Amino acid sequence: MATETTRWAIDPTHSVIGFKVKHLVISTVKGTFKEFSGQLESKGEDFDGASATFEASIDSIDTGVEDRDAHLKSADFFDAENHPKLTFKSTTFKKSGEGEYDLEGELTIRGTTKTVQLKATHGGTAVDPYGQTKAGFEIEGTINRKEFGLEWNAVTEAGNIVVADKIHLNLDVQVTQEA
């Protein structure tokens, strides 16, 4: 007997798509994407073998500083005018431990697609007060921004780089089972 596919959609009101990067090598700047969507398809009782897709609007980037956000949207970084979205499509969603998954997929930023490895932790599945089945995940990983064409940088008089190459991704995602 074939196992039926269960479809899930990201609940944007209960999800945060975050990142952080070192600035001047001495402090960390954090940001989020405010507009995003994604789907997950699973079979069986857990998420082993699931598939995931995700996209975020570059224009929705928010670091809490308007001038910095405008610079990130510019051709120096994401080039939102020519590349308005970043996308992810999983190739592997494999159980690696109790509630732990290795998530691999194709991330596209600024027209460049690279394979990335992420760790997903399933926080649990529950039915909310409205009768909707929800599942929660924390997803983490690190990418090198320069591999995606985000090349801009500057050097201070002391020789410190302004923006680190490594970007740490931290996504807190809640998905809702679709009827």
Side-chain angles (χ1 to χ4, degrees), residues 19-150:
F19 62 90
K20 61 184 182 178
V21 62
K22 286 289 187 186
H23 182 254
L24 296 175
V25 191
I26 60 170
S27 64
T28 301
V29 171
K30 295 179 181 179
T32 60
F33 289 93
K34 298 292 188 186
E35 294 174 20
F36 52 86
S37 63
Q39 292 75 39
L40 185 66
E41 289 188 357
S42 63
K43 294 182 189 245
E45 293 297 312
D46 66 20
F47 293 90
D48 192 36
S51 63
T53 58
F54 173 82
E55 70 176 34
S57 168
I58 299 302
D59 270 336
S60 75
I61 200 166
D62 183 3
T63 64
V65 177
E66 283 184 37
D67 287 347
R68 179 172 48 220
D69 295 346
H71 191 204
L72 288 170
K73 294 173 192 179
S74 78
D76 282 346
F77 286 100
F78 286 101
D79 192 13
E81 185 176 331
N82 294 305
H83 304 283
K85 296 194 181 299
L86 66 80
T87 62
F88 175 82
K89 182 174 175 40
S90 70
T91 54
T92 306
F93 202 115
K94 183 178 178 183
K95 192 167 192 166
S96 59
E98 190 61 37
E100 302 288 325
Y101 297 86
D102 292 327
L103 175 57
E104 183 174 287
E106 301 297 316
L107 178 63
T108 302
I109 299 174
R110 199 180 160 130
T112 299
T113 302
K114 298 283 184 187
T115 299
V116 297
Q117 284 84 31
L118 306 168
K119 292 287 187 184
T121 302
H122 178 219
T125 302
V127 177
D128 72 8
Y130 306 101
Q132 297 178 314
T133 301
K134 306 273 189 155
F137 291 91
E138 288 183 19
I139 303 166
E140 296 181 331
T142 301
I143 62 170
N144 184 323
R145 67 184 178 90
K146 289 188 174 180
E147 291 180 355
F148 294 93
L150 282 70

